[in-house]
Amino acid sequence: METIEAIFQAGLSNVRMGRVEWAGEWYRKVLDKDPRHSSARINIAALHHAYGSIEKALDHYILGLKGMGSSLYRWYKQPHQKHMEKSDWISQLRVFL
């Protein structure tokens, strides 16, 4: 039986070898076992961000940052921020990244 940490490390190893599709699959396996695994969620977001799927990246970044208790997530939850368009969120996210 594979542990969550072993599966996560397999994802990291695949990124280092340039096999990003396989890395994404490993990170998804981590999230299947533990949907709150912030590091896997952030790493999937980074893959989406790097390869052109910024909207998917944003969704994963927000969930990952929530799990980490990040100040960016607390900013996101402020009442005046809830009414922003997704494109505005993407612009703001780029400031932090």
Side-chain angles (χ1 to χ4, degrees), residues 3-96:
T3 66
I4 290 174
E5 185 58 28
I7 297 168
F8 180 72
Q9 291 299 321
L12 293 176
S13 295
N14 277 277
V15 167
R16 284 188 214 108
M17 291 185 282
R19 299 188 318 205
V20 295
E21 288 183 21
W22 289 15
E25 290 301 317
W26 285 109
Y27 296 142
R28 280 187 270 290
K29 286 182 183 184
V30 170
L31 294 174
D32 287 345
K33 291 180 177 274
D34 180 4
R36 296 171 299 154
H37 195 285
S38 295
S39 296
R41 183 99 35 209
I42 293 293
N43 287 2
I44 283 178
L47 291 176
H48 283 302
H49 190 180
Y51 296 96
S53 184
I54 195 71
E55 290 201 12
K56 286 182 183 178
L58 181 61
D59 293 337
H60 284 288
Y61 278 132
I62 289 169
L63 290 171
L65 292 170
K66 177 183 179 183
M68 296 169 73
S70 166
S71 59
L72 177 58
Y73 181 75
R74 287 189 294 279
W75 175 81
Y76 161 75
K77 291 301 286 181
Q78 292 176 6
H80 68 280
Q81 304 300 339
K82 292 179 184 176
H83 303 291
M84 291 175 69
E85 295 293 324
K86 199 159 199 173
S87 60
D88 294 331
W89 270 109
I90 292 167
S91 297
Q92 290 297 318
L93 183 61
R94 286 185 174 140
V95 170
F96 284 93

